[in-house]
Amino acid sequence: MLTLLFNNSLLKLPFADNTVSFFLISGIFDLRECWNLPSVNPANILNLDLVGAEKLSPICRKLDAKFIEFAKEIKIRIHVLVAENDSVTFKEQSLAFAKKLTDAGLEIEFKIFEEYDHFDIIENVPVKGSEINTYLLKNLV
C-alpha cells in the first residue's frame, strides 16, 4: 500500500524532492473491516488476523512527522479518489483517510467519480479521454 510509504522511508527515495502528487484510488484504508470476508481474503490466504489487519491499516497508523513536514515543505498534493459505485464501506474509508490527512495539515482533494465502480476506475486509468485519465493527467503537475 502506497500509504504505508507515508513515512521517513519515502524521503530517502531518489525522486522524493520531485514528487508533486499522490493519487490514492479506491483504497482500502482499514483492513479490519474486510480481512475476514471470503471475497477479499478467501480461506485467509493473506494469513491475517485482526491484529495483523490493524497493523497494515493506514487509517490506524500514526503519520510520520518527518513525512508530514516534508510534504508540507514541497507542497505535495494528495488526491483521494473513490468510485461512486464502490461499497459504502470503501467510500467511508476513503473519506475518513482524507480527513486524517487533512487534519495533519496536508493538501488533500477528495473526489467521487460518478458511474465508476471499484474495478473500472482502475481499468479506465490508461483509457485516453476517460474521466479518471483526464483527471490524473490534469493533476500531475
Side-chain angles (χ1 to χ4, degrees):
M1 288 183 201
L2 175 66
T3 54
L4 296 180
L5 284 176
F6 284 4
N7 63 43
N8 198 25
S9 65
L10 180 70
L11 308 180
K12 297 173 186 169
L13 296 174
F15 58 81
D17 288 339
N18 297 322
T19 303
V20 294
S21 294
F22 284 112
F23 298 94
L24 307 178
I25 305 173
S26 285
I28 301 172
F29 301 103
D30 191 346
L31 292 171
R32 297 173 301 176
E33 295 188 35
C34 57
W35 72 271
N36 61 347
L37 297 175
S39 60
V40 175
N41 188 18
N44 198 18
I45 61 170
L46 299 176
N47 196 27
L48 284 176
D49 58 14
L50 188 57
V51 173
E54 183 173 339
K55 285 180 182 178
L56 290 172
S57 295
I59 200 81
C60 299
R61 298 174 68 92
K62 183 177 179 193
L63 295 171
D64 184 275
K66 288 183 181 180
F67 169 78
I68 299 296
E69 181 182 315
F70 175 74
K72 288 178 183 179
E73 180 182 315
I74 67 168
K75 298 181 176 109
I76 290 176
R77 293 179 312 279
I78 301 172
H79 302 262
V80 181
L81 313 175
V82 67
E84 174 188 32
N85 296 314
D86 261 339
S87 71
V88 170
T89 298
F90 290 169
K91 288 190 279 191
E92 288 173 351
Q93 285 188 22
S94 292
L95 188 57
F97 195 66
K99 182 180 179 335
K100 177 177 181 161
L101 297 172
T102 299
D103 290 349
L106 296 173
E107 187 178 332
I108 304 302
E109 178 164 339
F110 178 80
K111 180 168 174 51
I112 297 175
F113 283 83
E114 294 181 14
E115 300 182 21
Y116 283 115
D117 66 30
H118 189 74
F119 298 102
D120 62 7
I121 192 170
I122 295 298
E123 291 167 353
N124 278 279
V125 164
V127 177
K128 189 174 183 172
S130 69
E131 184 182 2
I132 185 72
N133 176 274
T134 302
Y135 178 89
L136 294 172
L137 291 174
K138 177 182 163 197
N139 288 287
L140 280 175
V141 290

